Amino acid sequence: MENGHSYGKEIKLGQLTHDPDHGISVLRRSTRLPYYMRLKYSLLDGNSGGNEMHLFSGSTFNISEHGIGIEGTKGFPPNFKIHATLFTGAKAIKFEGTIRWLYHSNSEKWYMGVEISSRRDELKEIYNTLSKLSNIEM
């Protein structure tokens, strides 16, 4: 993976791999599918009840059963909670999630893996539709 984008070498469900650059083994919980949509996001403030203003712009670059990859103008460390609005074209889906990993490229881009904690059914429906269209066996 370079700059948060896949070049056809995605780790499949249950596959164990070795990253030669970091010597880290990775086990993915679910297959990632390419998914590019615009979104707005911000840190989740526990006092606001999820109504805070979205301060940062970005887009998705993949989706899985449990999460979504975000490319944006600001990154947050793992375990931080965010609130986001995903613009699917048909509707806007507001959701919350927890940052699981963060990558910063040489450009101004930040890449984050987000585990979804709200609105899972709607996002899983998108994933299932893409999965069927991609003919990927689950």
Side-chain angles (χ1 to χ4, degrees):
M1 177 160 50
E2 180 179 305
N3 292 344
H5 296 283
S6 167
Y7 293 105
K9 297 180 181 176
E10 284 290 327
I11 301 167
K12 301 298 181 192
L13 180 63
Q15 181 181 350
L16 191 61
T17 189
H18 182 76
D19 182 343
D21 295 332
H22 298 100
I24 298 172
S25 295
V26 178
L27 181 61
R28 291 252 164 115
R29 288 184 357 173
S30 59
T31 301
R32 271 67 172 160
L33 300 174
Y35 184 65
Y36 304 97
M37 290 291 165
R38 196 171 55 87
L39 58 75
K40 297 272 189 183
Y41 63 99
S42 61
L43 279 176
L44 183 62
D45 179 0
N47 298 325
S48 68
N51 293 322
E52 68 280 341
M53 194 169 76
H54 295 304
L55 302 175
F56 306 104
S57 297
S59 62
T60 62
F61 59 87
N62 70 25
I63 191 167
S64 71
E65 271 189 288
H66 308 285
I68 199 160
I70 295 177
E71 172 186 316
T73 56
K74 175 68 176 166
F76 302 112
N79 298 320
F80 275 51
K81 301 207 182 296
I82 65 164
H83 181 260
T85 301
L86 175 66
F87 303 100
T88 67
K91 61 182 174 177
I93 301 172
K94 294 182 180 187
F95 67 91
E96 296 174 6
T98 303
I99 306 297
R100 292 298 175 210
W101 59 265
L102 173 69
Y103 173 78
H104 185 252
S105 68
N106 292 333
S107 69
E108 295 297 317
K109 302 279 181 163
W110 291 86
Y111 300 91
M112 298 174 283
V114 179
E115 182 177 8
I116 305 300
S117 58
S118 71
R119 307 293 287 267
R120 288 182 185 170
D121 290 342
E122 289 173 276
L123 294 171
K124 193 169 183 177
E125 184 179 320
I126 292 169
Y127 174 78
N128 288 336
T129 300
L130 288 173
S131 179
K132 289 175 189 171
L133 292 174
S134 300
N135 293 321
I136 294 177
E137 294 181 30
M138 295 289 150

